Amino acid sequence: EGALILDYISPPGTSITETDRLLQQVERLIDATPEVVAWSRRTGDQLGFFITEPNVGDYVLRLAPGRRRPADEVADALRVRIEGSQPALQIEFGQLVEDVIGDLTSNPQPVEVRVFGEDRDVLERTARRVAALVASIRGAVDVKDGIVVSGPDVSLAPSDAGARRGVTTEDLADEVTPAVGGVDLGEIVRGARAWPVRAVVRRPDGVDAASTLGALAVPAGEGGAAAVRDVATLRVNPGETEIDRDNLRTMVAVTARLSGRDLGSAVAEIQRRIRREVPLPPQVTLAYGGLWAEQQSSFRGLAGVLLGAVGLVVLILLLAFRSWPQILCLLGVVLASLAGVFAALHVAGATFNISSFVGAIMVVGIVAENGFFLLAEYRRRRREDLDARAAALAAGRRRTRPVLMTTIAGVAALAPLALGLGSGSALLRPLAIAVVGGFALSALLLLLVLPSLLARFGGGVE
């Protein structure tokens, strides 16, 4: 797509100022990547319809046209450099359109292992074990254990010393609130727009939030004042983990992306190794979701489309020719042309995915069309009292030019996509490879094999 999305998460509770400081080093690494010609960043904000914390955001990286390395290699190189320089950041890379649609629709990650259970401690331990196993799978990157911790919180309560000096909970709240949430001061109006103004107590550099709150002054006694730490008990509580549910069951989703490996084989290996290496505690169950689950559903749907297409081809041939031997000869050639689809994908190193599945369906329709006209020519020659062998030979010669024109035109049109030329070609490259392979083999099958089958099994014309 000519662009990459870099999502990042700094440690829970990190302020937007500290997150910005961490990201300055990341931006120097991005600027040092020659394939990246421009970038933009959002911090504390994302596109989707969900709550966004100050420690979360993303980059949009625009890649140079005619870049030296593919987008996946650029992402892999940046991932290694960022993780080496900023280990506190969790990062993941994705494609632009994929990430935008995912943010808007909560579209899942490629690999998603859903761990269900009601005991939170057991559930999180199991999720961490599953995440560690997924991280050891070849090609798995950006592995997340699904345990999202909210930022720590600070609790304040008057101590015995504070109670003796008349400090109440309300006094503490009145003094601490401006330092935590700020104070509304009104609005600044410029033309038709108004900007709200809020004043917040500035925290000195290098001082944590708890120390800043402890140093605040609070009224104590008759006209006196004391530091919060002297009249209150201040405790920092660790953050709580977020709770997700699916169909009313508590769930932790372990997710991962893939680099240099197809989705089907990676998930198959994950399933096999989890069954063998991760014993599940009682009442803990697993389910596999993500893009893999959607892919399996799409495959089932496309398989129905393919069978329906073959069935319609058979019906049309039966209505047109009313000869089962001739129909079976043509149907055999149509199905055999699919071998060219798989051979081309294997040679090119492409995977059989949704895109290439659509290409296979296209090959069935186009090869059936070419075969229809060749079979019609064969039947016309038979009606001229030629024997089966002579009629098949004449039909093959008659249809040589149209078949070659169709094949050459189709291969030439899809060659740029099949070779991966230009931005966006990776999206349709499997489809182009599948169609090119099917076309190339179908030309030989239509001009050599189909006439031979008709000469041997075609028979006469009713």
Side-chain angles (χ1 to χ4, degrees):
E1 298 172 7
L4 287 171
I5 296 293
L6 167 57
D7 293 322
Y8 60 84
I9 303 175
S10 59
T14 305
S15 67
I16 196 167
T17 304
E18 179 63 17
T19 300
D20 178 72
R21 188 191 66 80
L22 292 173
L23 295 173
Q24 291 175 10
Q25 175 63 28
V26 174
E27 288 161 10
R28 286 193 284 271
L29 297 175
I30 294 174
D31 290 334
T33 304
E35 289 83 3
V36 179
V37 296
W39 56 265
S40 62
R41 165 163 60 100
R42 291 183 292 194
T43 301
D45 186 27
Q46 283 182 303
L47 184 61
F49 303 113
F50 41 76
I51 297 174
T52 306
E53 302 286 347
N55 63 319
V56 176
D58 58 28
Y59 285 91
V60 179
L61 311 179
R62 184 160 64 87
L63 304 180
R67 52 190 180 274
R68 290 189 297 269
R69 293 182 293 176
D72 288 345
E73 293 184 15
V74 175
D76 290 341
L78 266 175
R79 181 185 294 108
V80 171
R81 297 173 66 187
I82 293 173
E83 290 177 346
S85 65
Q86 297 295 333
L89 285 178
Q90 297 183 37
I91 62 172
E92 63 179 30
F93 285 88
Q95 294 288 322
L96 178 59
V97 175
E98 172 194 13
D99 188 80
V100 170
I101 294 176
D103 284 347
L104 290 175
T105 64
S106 298
N107 197 46
Q109 298 281 13
V111 178
E112 183 180 66
V113 183
R114 298 180 178 182
V115 186
F116 295 94
E118 296 306 321
D119 189 318
R120 291 292 298 174
D121 292 335
V122 174
L123 190 62
E124 291 175 9
R125 285 199 302 271
T126 305
R128 290 190 178 96
R129 293 190 62 182
V130 171
L133 184 145
V134 172
S136 68
I137 298 294
R138 179 181 61 82
V141 296
D142 300 337
V143 179
K144 303 291 185 297
D145 59 18
I147 302 171
V148 180
V149 182
S150 63
D153 60 83
V154 179
S155 64
L156 288 170
S159 62
D160 292 340
R164 288 193 296 270
R165 300 179 66 175
V167 177
T168 65
T169 303
E170 289 75 12
D171 294 331
L172 291 174
D174 290 341
E175 297 302 321
V176 169
T177 297
V180 176
V183 177
D184 290 326
L185 300 181
E187 295 180 337
I188 296 177
V189 179
R190 291 291 184 269
R193 298 191 62 182
W195 286 268
V197 179
R198 175 181 291 267
V200 182
V201 175
R202 182 177 181 181
R203 191 172 76 195
D205 295 336
V207 179
D208 59 34
S211 299
T212 302
L213 296 179
L216 295 176
V218 61
E222 295 294 335
V228 168
R229 70 170 70 91
D230 296 330
V231 294
T233 301
L234 188 148
R235 185 172 64 253
V236 179
N237 303 314
E240 295 291 332
T241 57
E242 293 183 3
I243 299 176
D244 292 324
R245 288 187 173 89
D246 180 43
N247 196 22
L248 302 180
R249 294 184 296 170
T250 305
M251 175 196 73
V252 173
V254 179
T255 61
R257 292 180 180 270
L258 297 174
S259 177
R261 187 170 186 183
D262 66 281
L263 183 59
S265 67
V267 174
E269 182 178 352
I270 290 171
Q271 292 174 331
R272 183 174 62 254
R273 290 188 56 184
I274 286 179
R275 286 194 299 266
R276 186 173 65 243
E277 302 175 23
V278 181
L280 297 180
Q283 298 181 344
V284 172
T285 58
L286 297 182
Y288 296 89
L291 296 182
W292 176 82
E294 294 188 3
Q295 181 196 63
Q296 300 307 304
S297 177
S298 298
F299 274 177
R300 289 190 292 270
L302 287 175
V305 172
L306 180 60
L307 293 176
V310 173
L312 288 175
V313 166
V314 172
L315 179 62
I316 292 172
L317 294 175
L318 187 61
L319 293 175
F321 302 127
R322 301 180 184 277
S323 172
W324 276 110
Q326 296 171 5
I327 292 172
L328 292 176
C329 291
L330 177 53
L331 188 61
V333 168
V334 170
L335 296 179
S337 64
L338 294 177
V341 171
F342 295 102
L345 292 172
H346 177 74
V347 171
T351 59
F352 186 70
N353 54 24
I354 303 298
S355 181
S356 51
F357 208 145
V358 173
I361 296 173
M362 292 172 58
V363 168
V364 168
I366 295 172
V367 175
E369 179 187 13
N370 285 331
F372 181 94
F373 290 111
L374 192 147
L375 181 54
E377 181 67 19
Y378 167 81
R379 291 172 62 86
R380 187 177 72 82
R381 297 289 182 165
R382 287 288 287 162
R383 283 193 291 267
E384 294 176 356
D385 294 332
L386 292 178
D387 60 28
R389 184 176 182 279
L393 183 60
R397 289 175 177 173
R398 177 75 175 179
R399 298 301 302 171
T400 296
R401 183 180 298 176
V403 169
L404 292 180
M405 288 174 61
T406 302
T407 302
I408 294 172
V411 171
L414 293 172
L417 281 178
L419 295 174
L421 303 179
S423 297
S425 60
L427 191 63
L428 295 176
R429 184 170 178 262
L431 182 147
I433 293 173
V435 174
V436 167
F439 272 14
L441 181 60
S442 70
L444 298 175
L445 294 175
L446 288 169
L447 299 178
L448 299 178
V449 177
L450 182 56
S452 300
L453 292 175
L454 292 175
R456 180 69 176 84
F457 305 107
V461 179
E462 295 180 1

